[in-house]
Amino acid sequence: FFGGTSEPQTLEEHISETHTDEEGNVVYTCSMHPQIRESEPGNCPICGMELIPANDLDDSDSESLNPNAVTFSKAALALAEVETTPVKKGVPVLETRLPGKVVVNQNLVSNVTAHFPGRVRELYVDYTGDYVRKGQKLVSIYSSELITAQSELLETARFKEQNPRLYESARRKLLLWEFPEETINQIEQSGEVMEELDFFSPVSGYVSQINISREDHIQEGSMLYRIAKLSEVWIEFEAYESSVNNLKIGDKIDFTVSSIPWHTYTGEVSFIQPFLNDKSRTVEIRITVDNPRKEMKPGMFAEGVISSQTDQEQHLLIPRSAVLWTGERSIVFVDVSTAETPAFEAREVALGKRAGNKYVIESGLEVGERVVTNGTFKVDAAAQLSDKLSMMNREPGSGANRGAHDHGAMDMNNDEMDMDDGDMNESTMDTTEDHSNHEMDKSLEALVPQYLKLREALSKDDFETAKEHVRVFSTDTFSDIEELRAEFKSISEMLISRIEEEGYEGALFKQYCPMYGGGSTWISDKKDIENPFYGTQMHNCGETVEQMN
């Protein structure tokens, strides 16, 4: 009579509008999975997070706010732990992580060599690793040539007044054989020939190599000992070819050593190998560092981070955690709060280069605006629940996102389902990522089985098994399972692209997690969800998007 609808309101519409059920009780939902509706508090059956009252995520109408803004009560804002960061201008600084190891500084290595043939009689230092001081006895050698040279000295010494040149020549010969001058004077005074000559260490350091044993026969020029000083060492890093152009001599590297992870050292690049290693596709980067306490021992692993500027121009920069990706779209939430109402507006931005933990923004933001950097997914979930512009909703107000995460209602064989592959396919995601280290030139028949084993290992948090199977795809080294999962995201993008282009015989399912990295897609041979990005922490978080055959 008063112009109301003639059709009765459904229970689902009632819950969506009032956030209470037909009996007036509060409805509880998950901030990550807004399709979950429960009549009492508890945990989300998908991700295990605590359910919250749906009306805490309600967006109160405000004429002063953009229609796409989602509002929060102050209690809900505190629960979501939302943090914002201002958009600033700055010079992008690239951060490159480099694996490396401690090696001996070759400029501080000395070889003790034989200057005449002979036979080893006694080893005074007979094991590697021993510390020797300069002038310390190393070995005693018998030599017939040594005896002859001493006899010549004694003979010429008798007639040195008449023939000084011949005397000086015989004396110099023993000096060049590293006879100590005091020993030569002693031979002259005593008139006795020494049958053995002791060799002394020319430097202080650690014996790194011994090439002789007792009673060995040696030749002139034979290396007897190698002695290394460890007061300074080299750290040799491996830089992948994709990042070499960003490095130059003089760049500073912050690094840690595996046995001293609590201490960060700093050094400057002193050498960049001009040749690329064909097998590892890396270039050697070297720094020299002081090692006064001998804490850094040759052979220890190191990990370095080198920062380099791409240019000198100022660019808009925001933290990586602010960005949500879905296919070709990049979304950030901008703080548009009023004095009384906390509110956030989803905005599409154009990403530029990745600079460490920041992204360059080409368009979509202004200096001084504040973007959400913590609690981003909770704000996005609230936007989806309110049918506002969000990561998964391109058409706010149309109700298109209502079933986006409805696992029970999704019918994968429904021909009428309208799904834009660009929203779910991440093959174009983050075009600044470098995938030059991926081995994707093999056949799909060889790659897919190894990929499925890698996915299964990650879903079980089995880091060791995952490292074995990732070698088929990448030559990188990974320090922990989270690094490997980030690589798995890139591998999945490229493999999905190839399967869609070439086809693959066998039942495969494309599956999607909206929480990891702004949304991440992977392939499985099972329709049931086993999330490789969160493993046992949120094992069943995600949904099957489509069957790929």
Side-chain angles (χ1 to χ4, degrees):
F1 182 75
F2 292 101
T5 176
S6 59
E7 296 182 5
Q9 188 180 46
T10 66
L11 178 59
E12 182 183 356
E13 291 170 338
H14 170 79
I15 291 174
S16 178
E17 292 182 10
T18 67
H19 306 297
T20 60
D21 60 19
E22 58 185 347
E23 297 177 357
N25 298 319
V26 174
V27 173
Y28 293 85
T29 187
C30 174
S31 59
M32 295 297 182
H33 300 90
Q35 76 275 14
I36 299 300
R37 301 300 182 107
E38 300 289 346
S39 59
E40 55 185 26
N43 295 327
C44 174
I46 296 176
C47 65
M49 291 186 64
E50 184 178 358
L51 299 179
I52 61 175
N55 56 7
D56 279 354
L57 294 176
D58 190 19
D59 57 309
S60 304
D61 292 333
S62 174
E63 295 180 359
S64 62
L65 294 175
N66 187 299
N68 281 327
V70 57
T71 61
F72 282 74
S73 68
K74 293 183 179 179
L77 188 68
L79 183 65
E81 299 179 335
V82 174
E83 295 178 6
T84 61
T85 301
V87 179
K88 296 180 180 179
K89 272 198 169 185
V91 177
V93 177
L94 297 180
E95 285 188 357
T96 306
R97 292 193 173 274
L98 307 173
K101 64 179 178 179
V102 181
V103 299
V104 173
N105 184 340
Q106 295 300 318
N107 296 326
L108 300 179
V109 174
S110 299
N111 290 339
V112 179
T113 57
H115 304 296
F116 47 81
R119 186 174 79 249
V120 176
R121 297 296 297 272
E122 185 62 41
L123 290 180
Y124 301 111
V125 176
D126 56 3
Y127 61 92
T128 59
D130 193 10
Y131 182 80
V132 296
R133 297 176 301 278
K134 184 176 181 180
Q136 181 177 332
K137 281 185 184 181
L138 297 176
V139 62
S140 177
I141 294 178
Y142 166 82
S143 172
S144 58
E145 290 192 15
L146 175 62
I147 294 174
T148 301
Q150 291 177 85
S151 299
E152 290 175 356
L153 173 65
L154 294 176
E155 189 66 26
T156 57
R158 293 170 56 192
F159 304 100
K160 62 181 178 181
E161 298 296 336
Q162 294 87 346
N163 197 341
R165 282 189 175 183
L166 192 60
Y167 165 73
E168 289 296 333
S169 177
R171 186 179 177 88
R172 188 180 302 109
K173 184 176 182 179
L174 291 174
L175 287 172
L176 292 176
W177 281 356
E178 295 188 355
F179 258 72
E181 190 167 0
E182 302 82 28
T183 303
I184 296 175
N185 293 336
Q186 181 183 349
I187 293 172
E188 284 189 43
Q189 293 170 4
S190 65
E192 296 181 0
V193 173
M194 298 176 60
E195 294 186 354
E196 299 176 6
L197 175 65
D198 291 331
F199 277 73
F200 302 87
S201 176
V203 295
S204 296
Y206 293 89
V207 177
S208 63
Q209 189 174 340
I210 301 177
N211 284 353
I212 53 174
S213 300
R214 290 175 178 82
E215 302 304 324
D216 274 355
H217 285 267
I218 59 173
Q219 300 298 320
E220 182 179 354
S222 299
M223 189 188 79
L224 310 179
Y225 291 86
R226 177 166 290 165
I227 299 171
K229 295 178 69 174
L230 299 180
S231 55
E232 277 188 358
V233 293
W234 285 346
I235 313 294
E236 291 183 350
F237 297 99
E238 292 185 350
Y240 293 106
E241 57 182 319
S242 58
S243 59
V244 170
N245 288 336
N246 297 325
L247 308 178
K248 61 182 183 298
I249 291 178
D251 282 346
K252 289 188 176 180
I253 296 182
D254 296 324
F255 69 95
T256 57
V257 179
S258 56
S259 65
I260 323 167
W262 58 87
H263 187 77
T264 300
Y265 301 89
T266 300
E268 289 188 358
V269 175
S270 58
F271 175 76
I272 300 177
Q273 175 64 250
F275 304 105
L276 181 75
N277 186 312
D278 288 338
K279 293 182 179 179
S280 63
R281 310 304 299 172
T282 59
V283 169
E284 179 188 307
I285 307 294
R286 182 191 303 157
I287 65 173
T288 303
V289 294
D290 291 331
N291 187 31
R293 292 184 291 181
K294 314 298 186 297
E295 289 180 323
M296 289 179 275
K297 304 184 186 305
M300 285 183 174
F301 288 114
E303 182 179 21
V305 178
I306 187 167
S307 301
S308 55
Q309 294 181 346
T310 56
D311 54 51
Q312 298 299 321
E313 296 183 9
Q314 297 277 326
H315 297 270
L316 288 181
L317 299 173
I318 63 171
R320 289 177 57 196
S321 60
V323 182
L324 300 174
W325 300 282
T326 172
E328 297 178 350
R329 301 167 63 228
S330 299
I331 298 289
V332 298
F333 280 92
V334 181
D335 188 350
V336 292
S337 302
T338 63
E340 298 296 329
T341 307
F344 305 94
E345 172 189 331
R347 194 177 300 174
E348 291 192 25
V349 295
L351 293 182
K353 296 177 181 178
R354 174 175 158 184
N357 287 323
K358 297 182 182 295
Y359 271 107
V360 173
I361 297 297
E362 301 292 348
S363 63
L365 292 172
E366 300 293 336
V367 174
E369 291 185 305
R370 300 188 71 89
V371 294
V372 176
T373 51
N374 187 60
T376 315
F377 289 107
K378 296 178 182 178
V379 175
D380 184 75
Q384 292 185 45
L385 182 64
S386 304
D387 203 12
K388 300 294 180 71
L389 179 66
S390 64
M391 180 175 65
M392 298 301 298
N393 186 20
R394 285 186 172 183
E395 302 176 6
S398 66
N401 70 319
R402 190 177 297 278
H405 300 285
D406 189 351
H407 296 257
M410 180 174 288
D411 181 1
M412 301 313 300
N413 296 317
N414 187 352
D415 295 335
E416 296 180 0
M417 180 187 296
D418 182 15
M419 181 175 291
D420 184 356
D421 288 341
D423 283 347
M424 305 298 276
N425 181 3
E426 298 218 32
S427 60
T428 56
M429 182 181 296
D430 189 7
T431 56
T432 61
E433 287 281 350
D434 178 13
H435 304 307
S436 61
N437 230 25
H438 293 157
E439 301 291 338
M440 299 296 289
D441 56 344
K442 297 175 182 162
S443 68
L444 289 177
E445 286 72 22
L447 292 174
V448 171
Q450 292 299 317
Y451 173 93
L452 294 175
K453 292 177 182 178
L454 172 60
R455 183 212 62 77
E456 184 176 7
L458 290 175
S459 71
K460 295 177 180 178
D461 298 332
D462 188 348
F463 183 38
E464 295 303 320
T465 302
K467 284 195 295 185
E468 294 178 9
H469 295 299
V470 79
R471 291 174 188 165
V472 177
F473 301 93
S474 174
T475 58
D476 286 354
T477 56
F478 304 95
S479 60
D480 56 45
I481 196 168
E482 294 309 320
E483 262 189 35
L484 202 157
R485 280 174 169 146
E487 183 77 355
F488 178 75
K489 176 181 171 75
S490 300
I491 294 169
S492 297
E493 294 167 8
M494 292 186 289
L495 192 62
I496 288 172
S497 179
R498 278 197 59 186
I499 292 174
E500 291 178 337
E501 290 176 7
E502 303 173 24
Y504 180 78
E505 301 219 354
L508 295 176
F509 300 93
K510 186 194 295 186
Q511 298 175 332
Y512 180 73
C513 171
M515 296 178 62
Y516 185 86
S520 301
T521 310
W522 73 92
I523 303 169
S524 177
D525 55 351
K526 306 173 184 177
K527 195 168 183 180
D528 294 337
I529 299 296
E530 295 178 354
N531 194 310
F533 297 105
Y534 289 106
T536 56
Q537 183 182 4
M538 288 191 286
H539 196 60
N540 304 117
C541 181
E543 60 188 26
T544 297
V545 176
E546 65 177 85
Q547 187 167 337
M548 299 190 69
N549 60 345

